[in-house]
Amino acid sequence: MIVALLKLIRIQNLMLIALTMAGVGNTIATNGIDLQTSINFNLFIICTLLIAAAGNTINDYFDVRADLKNKPDQVVIGKKLKKRWAIILHWGFNALAFGISIFLSIYYQTWFYMALHLFTSGLLCLYSVQLKKVFLWSNVSIAALTALVPLSSMLFFRFVPIEFAHTELVVLFTIFAFILNLIREIVKDIQDVEGDKLLFVRSLPIVLGKKVTMRWVQILSFMLLIPYLLGMYLKVLADNYLLVYVTSTAVLVGICAGLIASLRIQLSSLLLKISMLIGISSFFFL
């Protein structure tokens, strides 16, 4: 039961989110933060993880038919977990997250945390019900929500009386995360074509064909150079050779993932995850 639950909420993705937010906190607050701010930031991380877990749960709830076609061995809802429990978990995760966002909004006297919660949880629900079927917007919405993780982590410290540091690096990583996850979502669509047809999803490979979609994956992979070259131009990376090495590796792995997608789709998907993990690790080399 526990293993099924961890698979349902995508525990590996949640760990990447937590690592990203911790990295941003480490990057932004280089001079350290007080105990209460540390507690509040950890609560913010938990809140984000709960929203993501709720989104993953409701998405699987509506995707059961497609998942039975694409990956029958990995289906949790209906096999290892009753459908009503998926709904209960979805609302439970969101309720806990909203409680945390209310506390943070009251503590810092701002609507930011409540508004952020309502926006992200609402968009995740809209994606599961409708957006996933809309051409291109399904990919863009998930990529944007993923990129929002480092950006919102930086914005958290806007309400804390500390001196900011390395904000440019966080912004550049946000751009990198958006492009990389856009590629990853498209690659997943290529893998899930047969199941998506059952749900009348208008994904890129279904509308444009796999061959054209592969070309777009390759084009987007070279766009990963944009935040890297911006970082070099703005001298965000120039003074730290270890950071240059790590970010260069993340970009090169991402480009390789895009280039081999037409040959080894499974390996491409794995390399995209590795590229993201390497990119996240850059926050800990400052």
Side-chain angles (χ1 to χ4, degrees):
M1 183 65 177
I2 295 177
V3 174
L5 179 60
L6 293 177
K7 185 182 292 186
L8 179 66
I9 64 176
R10 315 277 205 286
I11 187 62
Q12 68 277 13
N13 292 350
L14 298 188
M15 290 173 67
L16 285 177
I17 291 173
L19 189 61
T20 300
M21 299 181 76
V24 172
N26 177 70
T27 300
I28 292 293
T30 53
N31 294 326
I33 54 178
D34 59 72
L35 178 61
Q36 186 59 55
T37 301
S38 178
I39 292 172
N40 289 347
F41 185 58
N42 285 322
L43 284 173
F44 184 60
I45 293 176
I46 293 171
C47 179
T48 305
L49 296 180
L50 287 169
I51 293 172
N56 291 333
T57 301
I58 199 64
N59 184 61
D60 276 12
Y61 176 85
F62 286 106
D63 266 5
V64 170
R65 191 180 174 195
D67 288 343
L68 285 171
K69 179 72 175 179
N70 292 326
K71 43 188 178 183
D73 296 336
Q74 298 180 36
V75 175
V76 174
I77 298 176
K79 283 189 172 183
K80 300 177 182 179
L81 189 73
K82 292 182 178 180
K83 285 191 172 183
R84 67 171 178 268
W85 276 108
I87 296 296
I88 292 171
L89 286 171
H90 167 72
W91 284 108
F93 289 146
N94 266 324
L96 287 172
F98 194 54
I100 294 173
S101 67
I102 290 174
F103 166 76
L104 292 174
S105 289
I106 292 173
Y107 187 89
Y108 291 111
Q109 298 182 348
T110 174
W111 291 97
F112 170 74
Y113 303 101
M114 291 174 62
L116 182 64
H117 173 275
L118 293 174
F119 171 74
T120 52
S121 60
L123 187 57
L124 284 169
C125 283
L126 183 61
Y127 169 81
S128 299
V129 176
Q130 184 61 38
L131 274 182
K132 71 169 63 175
K133 300 178 182 179
V134 181
F135 178 72
L136 191 58
W137 280 104
S138 58
N139 308 120
V140 172
S141 59
I142 293 300
L145 281 172
T146 305
L148 187 60
V149 170
L151 190 61
S152 63
S153 302
M154 182 177 71
L155 291 175
F156 172 89
F157 291 97
R158 176 189 173 193
F159 307 101
V160 180
I162 65 168
E163 186 176 339
F164 275 34
H166 306 300
T167 54
E168 299 91 347
L169 180 62
V170 177
V171 173
L172 291 173
F173 178 80
T174 297
I175 299 171
F176 172 81
F178 174 80
I179 299 171
L180 190 71
N181 280 280
L182 182 58
I183 298 169
R184 187 180 171 197
E185 288 300 310
I186 295 173
V187 167
K188 284 169 60 179
D189 282 348
I190 295 171
Q191 295 174 293
D192 296 342
V193 165
E194 296 305 317
D196 285 347
K197 287 179 179 177
L198 298 176
L199 300 180
F200 306 102
V201 173
R202 300 186 73 249
S203 64
L204 265 71
I206 291 175
V207 175
L208 302 179
K210 288 187 179 181
K211 189 174 181 179
V212 174
T213 304
M214 287 293 186
R215 289 176 186 167
W216 277 107
V217 167
Q218 292 168 351
I219 292 170
L220 286 169
S221 67
F222 281 105
M223 290 181 67
L224 291 171
L225 288 168
I226 293 174
Y228 177 78
L229 294 175
L230 275 174
M232 296 300 290
Y233 176 75
L234 298 173
K235 297 183 179 180
V236 175
L237 308 174
D239 296 331
N240 189 325
Y241 292 108
L242 184 57
L243 183 61
V244 171
Y245 175 76
V246 172
T247 53
S248 299
T249 303
V251 171
L252 287 174
V253 172
I255 292 174
C256 288
L259 293 178
I260 69 169
S262 59
L263 302 173
R264 299 286 298 275
I265 193 72
Q266 296 290 346
L267 179 59
S268 174
S269 182
L270 176 62
L271 287 177
L272 287 169
K273 294 178 182 178
I274 292 174
S275 177
M276 176 58 73
L277 183 59
I278 296 172
I280 292 170
S281 70
S282 66
F283 288 127
F284 298 94
F285 288 97
L286 293 170

